[in-house]
Amino acid sequence: MHRAIVAMVAAVGLAASTAPAVATVPTPSGGCSTVYWGSLPKTSTAVGYSRLTDLRTGSHSCFDRLVLDLSGSTEGYSVRYVNQLTGIGSGLPVETIGGTQIEIRVDAPASWSLDVDPAVQRLYYHTFRQLVWLGSFEGQSKVGLSVRARLPMRVFTLDGPGDGSRLVIDVARNW
């Protein structure tokens, strides 16, 4: 009996010595960090002159992205969740699908070369449902995003290409 207990203790000791010495710490789901993101309005009062030249969307592993290309320096902007998207000149409501909407206003008129046809584009992304062109009026342009739910977002600007700049809006897939 004593030999059986000694053999069991030795086997347990051998198994313990082959196990890793450090336990792994689980990472957030998918490794996506949204620590500095939020759902409150993001604004800038920068002054300059440029035109809105392009709108681009993309889907990434942790977020969906909208990029507004500007011909010059980044202008003032406002990005916020709203209950209803409205046309910039008319103020008329624009119907969308999705759980909620984000209104993006940039202090830059649309370039004549900006192609916004169709005015409502259906997006099959994880978070974005529709991209809606709301118009350009009196030196401002307005775009809407129909999204799945009120999720954290971040807004930042990038220089380039060339003399241009970009306004970037990322909306996370999860809180």
Side-chain angles (χ1 to χ4, degrees):
M1 175 82 160
H2 180 63
R3 282 186 160 181
I5 293 173
V6 170
M8 252 179 16
V9 170
V12 169
L14 180 61
S17 68
T18 60
V22 178
T24 57
V25 178
T27 57
S29 175
C32 301
S33 175
T34 56
V35 173
Y36 300 106
W37 298 39
S39 63
L40 296 176
K42 318 294 191 239
T43 60
S44 169
T45 57
V47 178
Y49 182 79
S50 64
R51 291 188 172 273
L52 179 62
T53 59
D54 197 11
L55 303 170
R56 297 177 284 129
T57 61
S59 186
H60 299 267
S61 62
C62 298
F63 56 87
D64 290 345
R65 174 172 283 177
L66 169 64
V67 178
L68 284 74
D69 289 326
L70 300 165
S71 64
S73 62
T74 304
E75 303 291 325
Y77 61 82
S78 169
V79 180
R80 63 191 179 110
Y81 279 97
V82 295
N83 293 325
Q84 177 74 58
L85 293 174
T86 59
I88 193 168
S90 67
L92 295 174
V94 176
E95 294 300 319
T96 61
I97 60 173
T100 191
Q101 295 82 34
I102 298 174
E103 176 188 272
I104 300 105
R105 181 201 41 81
V106 62
D107 295 338
S111 170
W112 296 111
S113 64
L114 179 64
D115 182 14
V116 290
D117 187 35
V120 178
Q121 296 177 20
R122 178 80 163 101
L123 303 172
Y124 296 94
Y125 299 164
H126 192 273
T127 301
F128 291 175
R129 298 295 186 245
Q130 290 175 309
L131 175 64
V132 183
W133 173 248
L134 298 169
S136 186
F137 185 71
E138 294 185 351
Q140 295 183 338
S141 296
K142 199 158 95 168
V143 177
L145 278 172
S146 173
V147 295
R148 175 173 59 81
R150 188 177 180 123
L151 294 163
M153 66 176 167
R154 67 179 174 180
V155 178
F156 58 96
T157 61
L158 296 170
D159 290 334
D163 293 333
S165 62
R166 293 162 283 169
L167 176 63
V168 180
I169 298 100
D170 292 338
V171 181
R173 291 187 171 188
N174 301 304
W175 273 99

